[in-house]
Structure formats: C-alpha cells, structure tokens
Amino acid sequence: MDLLKDKILKDGIALNSEVLKVDSFINHQVDVNLMKEIGIEFANYFRNKNITKVFTIETSGIAPAVFTSLELNVPLVILKKQNSKILNDNFYTTEVKSFTKNTTYNLTLSKNYIDTNDNILIIDDFLANGEAAKGAIKLIENANAKVAGIGIVIEKAFQPGRNFLEASGYDIYSLARIKSLDNTKINFID
Ligand code: G4P
C-alpha cells in the first residue's frame, strides 16, 4: 500500500536492525485518516471471504481493526492481555511470549463473543515472530470457529512470523513488508 509505505519512509525510524519506531502515526499518536484507508484496503482484500467478525489484539491493533470492521460492517472483538486472576471458565486463554519486548502475557477471549459459526479476520499492527497471531488463532480454534485470514499493517519479513503462518495455511495480507532495517535504512519487499 503506497500511502502507508510513503508514511513509513517519511515518519518511521529504524531504531536498529530489528525495530521500526512508528509512534508518531500508529503506536502512540494515531493517524486516523491513514487508519481509515488501511481499513478500506483490508476490507477490499477480504470482502468476499464471508467474514463474520474482526478480531484484534490490544492495544495498537485496535485502530486499523475498527476501520476494517466498520467497512465490512461486522463486530469487532478486542483480545485482551489480562491478568490471570480475573479469569474464570467463561474465558478462552492462552499464553503469548513476546520476543521483541521479552514479556509473557495471557491473551484472553470471553466465550460470549465467539461461536462455532464465526469466520474471523485477525488484524494487527505488526507481524514479527508471529506469536500474537498464533495466540489469536489458538483462541479462535479452541472455540471451534474459523480463521478467514490475517491482515497485518507492517510485516517485518526478515523475522519468521509469516513463514510459520503460511506453512499452516493461513492467508496473510500485509500492507507493508519490510525486507531490512539495516544501517537505519528502511527497505521494503516490492
Ligand atoms: P509477534 O507477535 O509477531 O511475535 O511479535 P513480538 O511478540 O515480537 O512483538 C511484541 C510487541 O512488539 C507487539 O506489540 C508488536 O506489535 C511490537 N513490535 C514488534 N516489532 C516491532 C517493531 O519493529 N516496531 C514496533 N513499533 N513494534 C513492534 P504489543 O506488545 O502488542 O504492543 P501494543 O499493541 O500494546 O502497542
């Protein structure tokens, strides 16, 4: 998506060869006009897949997911990173390890917001190692619902997330695929 790539080149900062800082338009301040266009782009790609719900993971997946669900006219469900103390039998839960942040959290989903007829589009801001996406998939499949596809705003293609998810047969649509961040230079896969 050229609009997004131009924005990344203009305002993104390669902190090092692994991490792209996009605080000024995705992770902290949010460019809602860009998010709206991103939502339209995801919706157009997945429109004929009979999506029943959009799922995302708090926090930074929420903005692009809102506009995608609005455009597809389906509910949005936010998977939460919750403290295990509040969990009970009414939740699906799975542990997710973040290699980038070196943290572990419980990703949770209330059983009230999914059923076996659901065909779900997962939207997230970054795909790195794929752990968050794997966690979301696990919750959906534990509920015997289907994953219709995965929409990613920024994919770090030099990390293994896509390979694993593709090998498992999921349809991944990334709007910007980063080949490398070496020497503070941002390179895309065309
Ligand atoms: P994975 O899910 O693909 O395995 O990614 P990983 O655990 O490595 O990433 C954990 C968190 O770090 C996620 O945010 C992810 O969006 C973010 N992240 C990964 N790589 C980058 C990067 O290059 N730049 C930025 N800005 N973020 C990155 P999170 O903890 O879920 O945070 P948030 O959604 O609450 O903001």
Side-chain angles (χ1 to χ4, degrees):
M1 185 186 183
D2 289 341
L3 188 66
L4 173 64
K5 287 188 193 170
D6 290 346
K7 184 75 172 169
I8 292 170
L9 289 176
K10 184 168 164 278
D11 293 334
I13 300 166
L15 280 189
N16 51 47
S17 61
E18 299 270 305
V19 176
L20 176 67
K21 192 170 162 76
V22 287
D23 268 19
S24 65
F25 59 104
I26 296 180
N27 293 134
H28 198 356
Q29 176 170 257
V30 178
D31 182 336
V32 290
N33 287 308
L34 177 63
M35 293 301 144
K36 184 177 171 195
E37 294 306 318
I38 283 172
I40 292 168
E41 183 73 23
F42 281 138
N44 286 342
Y45 183 86
F46 289 106
R47 201 178 295 283
N48 61 0
K49 295 235 171 166
N50 300 315
I51 308 289
T52 60
K53 282 178 186 158
V54 171
F55 274 28
T56 191
I57 299 150
E58 63 176 352
T59 304
S60 301
I62 296 173
V66 163
F67 288 103
T68 308
S69 63
L70 188 66
E71 191 64 21
L72 289 172
N73 196 23
V74 296
L76 167 65
V77 175
I78 300 164
L79 301 177
K80 300 183 125 190
K81 298 166 183 168
Q82 242 152 6
N83 190 310
S84 53
K85 280 189 216 141
I86 73 128
L87 298 177
N88 55 43
D89 285 353
N90 201 39
F91 286 89
Y92 296 105
T93 181
T94 188
E95 196 175 86
V96 174
K97 188 175 229 142
S98 162
F99 292 103
T100 305
K101 295 193 172 170
N102 198 19
T103 54
T104 300
Y105 57 86
N106 290 305
L107 193 65
T108 65
L109 163 66
S110 164
K111 292 182 180 174
N112 296 339
Y113 305 124
I114 189 163
D115 69 51
T116 53
N117 297 320
D118 275 324
N119 190 38
I120 293 165
L121 171 60
I122 299 169
I123 297 288
D124 209 358
D125 58 334
F126 270 93
L127 176 62
N129 293 288
E131 294 300 317
K134 276 190 230 172
I137 290 167
K138 200 163 169 196
L139 296 181
I140 293 166
E141 294 184 343
N142 280 350
N144 294 314
K146 276 211 247 71
V147 176
I150 302 167
I152 298 291
V153 179
I154 302 175
E155 173 187 331
K156 293 193 292 182
F158 54 88
Q159 291 185 301
R162 171 180 283 269
N163 289 348
F164 172 83
L165 296 170
E166 256 178 2
S168 305
Y170 299 104
D171 181 7
I172 307 161
Y173 182 46
S174 303
L175 303 186
R177 301 187 67 202
I178 296 188
K179 184 160 54 174
S180 69
L181 295 170
D182 296 336
N183 303 318
T184 70
K185 199 170 167 344
I186 301 166
N187 293 302
F188 295 106
I189 293 178
D190 285 328

